[in-house]
Amino acid sequence: MAEGGVLAAQERSRGANQPPRSRRYGEVNWIGLWTLTKREIMRFMKVPAQTVLAPLVSTLLFMVVFLLAMAGSPGRTSPVAGVSYGAFLAPGLIMMGLLSNAFANSSSSLIGAKMQGNSVDFLMPPLSAAELTVAFITGAAARGIVVGLASAAIALPFTHVQIAHWWAVFYFGLSAAVIMAALGLLGGIWAEKFDQLAVITNFIVTPLTFLSGTFYSISRLPGPVAAASHYNPIFLLIDGFRYGFIGHSDGDLGASSLVIGVLAAGMVALCWQVLRTGWRMKA
């Protein structure tokens, strides 16, 4: 018995002196992917007053101001696309909140990590470029969707509009969240400080959003301007999303669905490629 105990102790001693084995994660590092995704979601869930409540206040103000301005008197709205102006406006405002917040989450996450010097937190762990892409886009899309749902709860009671086509609401809403999350990810990688990131927000995202038919039907625009609006991807998103609510679209819904699907896949692929090269992320 004593001899057996000595042999066991010797085996344990030899095992203790060996270097630790590398952990095998398989094809996908599910633990790391879930951890980073949860981190991105908790970033905005910890400050709901800033990330969720503030957009709701903006949506409510837009609804009140535009309904009063367009109505001329409370309770009376000018019809647009066969529905009341409030029913036309609400989907655009919901989509606007979704777009801006999906972009803000991924872009602020990357630029904040770079400025604070803690990007090593997600660059050093065994996470592939695909896993980083999925985690950042999922977290940002989640914020956009949460704000979109909350905005719907605020805006729709003003209009009593019913959802006509659930598939369009789901498809265009999810595509919008993914596209803007990917754009925010690319912007956060490119920018070195918040001033540079503001260039994308002020000169690309905001103009495209306000010129996309959010507050008006492009059918009321002059011919060349209306034709040019069809090349605005945010118009395609808002038009398809609005179709899901009121059953009317200003553009070709089939073509819009195809373009948006290709754009979403292309943006995700571009994010993966940029993260794979380590551009502006690795010294």
Side-chain angles (χ1 to χ4, degrees):
M1 294 293 292
E3 183 178 354
V6 171
L7 290 175
Q10 291 175 346
E11 289 294 332
R12 289 194 298 270
S13 177
R14 283 196 295 268
N17 293 329
Q18 293 178 353
R21 296 180 181 179
S22 299
R23 184 170 184 174
R24 299 181 64 87
Y25 292 96
E27 294 296 327
V28 179
N29 180 0
W30 293 108
I31 296 176
L33 176 60
W34 164 246
T35 302
L36 183 56
T37 303
K38 182 179 178 181
R39 168 186 177 269
E40 289 303 296
I41 294 175
M42 293 305 296
R43 283 185 65 253
F44 74 85
M45 291 300 292
K46 285 188 175 181
V47 284
Q50 175 185 344
T51 58
V52 179
L53 183 59
L56 296 188
V57 173
S58 298
T59 299
L60 182 60
L61 290 175
F62 274 123
M63 284 295 298
V64 172
V65 170
F66 274 89
L67 287 180
L68 290 177
M70 297 297 292
S73 63
R76 183 168 58 85
T77 57
S78 303
V80 181
V83 298
S84 68
Y85 181 68
F88 179 88
L89 177 64
L93 292 179
I94 295 169
M95 179 60 83
M96 188 171 70
L98 187 156
L99 292 168
S100 60
N101 282 273
F103 175 85
N105 201 77
S106 53
S107 60
S108 63
S109 178
L110 265 294
I111 192 65
K114 290 165 70 174
M115 293 187 66
Q116 295 170 11
N118 57 13
S119 56
V120 66
D121 291 347
F122 53 82
L123 292 179
M124 286 296 291
L127 289 167
S128 67
E131 290 159 354
L132 290 174
T133 301
V134 170
F136 281 116
I137 290 179
T138 301
R143 174 174 169 181
I145 292 171
V146 167
V147 172
L149 292 173
S151 298
I154 290 293
L156 294 183
F158 282 83
T159 64
H160 306 290
V161 65
Q162 300 293 324
I163 295 179
H165 303 283
W166 280 97
W167 73 266
V169 173
F170 178 80
Y171 177 77
F172 286 98
L174 181 60
S175 297
V178 171
I179 290 171
M180 294 306 292
L183 180 61
L185 180 57
L186 293 172
I189 293 173
W190 168 77
E192 298 292 340
K193 52 186 178 179
F194 282 101
D195 290 346
Q196 294 177 333
L197 190 61
V199 172
I200 301 176
T201 304
N202 296 332
F203 295 101
I204 298 178
V205 176
T206 301
L208 288 179
T209 301
F210 276 79
L211 298 176
S212 62
T214 303
F215 308 105
Y216 56 87
S217 172
I218 66 166
S219 62
R220 297 186 174 184
L221 298 175
V225 180
S229 298
H230 286 82
Y231 294 94
N232 180 353
I234 296 183
F235 160 74
L236 301 181
L237 291 168
I238 292 178
D239 189 53
F241 188 73
R242 180 178 283 127
Y243 170 82
F245 284 89
I246 66 175
H248 172 84
S249 64
D250 289 327
D252 185 335
L253 199 65
S256 298
S257 301
L258 178 60
V259 170
I260 290 303
V262 172
L263 180 60
M267 291 290 290
V268 173
L270 181 58
C271 289
W272 168 77
Q273 177 62 22
V274 171
L275 286 171
R276 190 174 69 87
T277 62
W279 181 66
R280 285 187 178 254
M281 294 298 297
K282 299 178 182 179

